[in-house]
């Protein structure tokens, strides 16, 4: 995939607001609307842009309790545990990692009680051997 510096600038603007009109993108990039539209089509066609999604407001997210849950699994349980975690809407991301843990799940729940129940639920999944949780107090940088 060939991504130019202007493409990176375009992607950064879309990261700020994926619904930004093409005319606004063009003005901010110093390009014509036709050029920006063609770049978007190419980035989509080449798979650089896989889709456009929802970004929740800081005000809404600040009301959620977020946590990292590090998970150690039984051998050969990855696909089963991944499928179970994918079915839980409060799991916002799941990362494979190296080291003493196999996965890190990112969670978001409306209350400590809900988060506690969710962590217990994850610990009870078939194939999960051990978990270690850390509640996120604040986010210093988010890009």
């Amino acid at each position: 995939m060939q991504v130019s510096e202007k493409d990176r600038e375009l992607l950064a603007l879309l990261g700020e607001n994926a619904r930004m009109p093409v005319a606004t993108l063009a003005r901010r990039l110093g390009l014509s609307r036709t050029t920006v539209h063609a770049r978007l089509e190419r980035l989509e066609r080449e798979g650089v842009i896989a889709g456009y999604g929802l970004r929740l407001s800081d005000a809404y997210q600040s009301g959620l309790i977020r946590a990292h849950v590090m998970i150690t699994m039984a051998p050969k349980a990855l696909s089963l545990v991944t499928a179970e975690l994918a079915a839980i809407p409060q799991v916002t991301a799941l990362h494979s990692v190296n080291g003493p843990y196999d996965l890190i799940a990112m969670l978001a729940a409306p209350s400590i009680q809900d988060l506690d129940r969710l962590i217990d639920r994850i610990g009870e999944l078939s194939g999960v051997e051990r978990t270690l949780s850390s509640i996120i107090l604040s986010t210093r940088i988010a890009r």
Side-chain angles (χ1 to χ4, degrees):
M1 295 180 203
Q2 292 292 331
V3 180
S4 70
E5 186 58 37
K6 278 292 183 191
D7 291 337
R8 283 185 187 74
E9 291 176 37
L10 174 58
L11 294 171
L13 289 172
L14 290 171
E16 292 172 20
N17 178 3
R19 295 182 64 183
M20 190 177 295
V22 173
T24 304
L25 292 168
R27 188 171 46 258
R28 297 210 25 209
L29 292 169
L31 301 171
S32 72
R33 287 189 328 211
T34 306
T35 300
V36 170
H37 187 39
R39 283 177 184 266
L40 286 170
E41 285 182 342
R42 181 180 52 79
L43 291 168
E44 290 169 358
R45 184 177 58 252
E46 292 178 357
V48 174
I49 296 175
Y52 300 87
L54 173 68
R55 193 171 94 197
L56 300 172
S57 73
D58 292 338
Y60 175 78
Q61 286 190 22
S62 68
L64 297 175
I65 310 300
R66 296 172 301 132
H68 298 153
V69 178
M70 292 165 280
I71 301 167
T72 301
M73 298 179 302
K76 300 182 183 181
L78 179 62
S79 60
L80 174 66
V81 172
T82 299
E84 294 276 350
L85 292 170
I88 300 172
Q90 297 89 346
V91 176
T92 61
L94 183 64
H95 306 280
S96 293
V97 295
N98 69 333
Y101 296 93
D102 301 303
L103 299 171
I104 297 177
M106 307 294 288
L107 311 180
S111 70
I112 291 289
Q113 294 80 12
D114 290 329
L115 184 63
D116 187 38
R117 283 191 291 275
L118 184 57
I119 292 168
D120 287 345
R121 179 177 170 193
I122 291 170
E124 293 170 355
L125 293 176
S126 180
V128 171
E129 291 183 343
R130 184 175 73 234
T131 64
L132 176 66
S133 307
S134 295
I135 292 175
I136 297 170
L137 301 175
S138 68
T139 300
R140 304 298 174 130
I141 298 173
R143 297 187 174 126

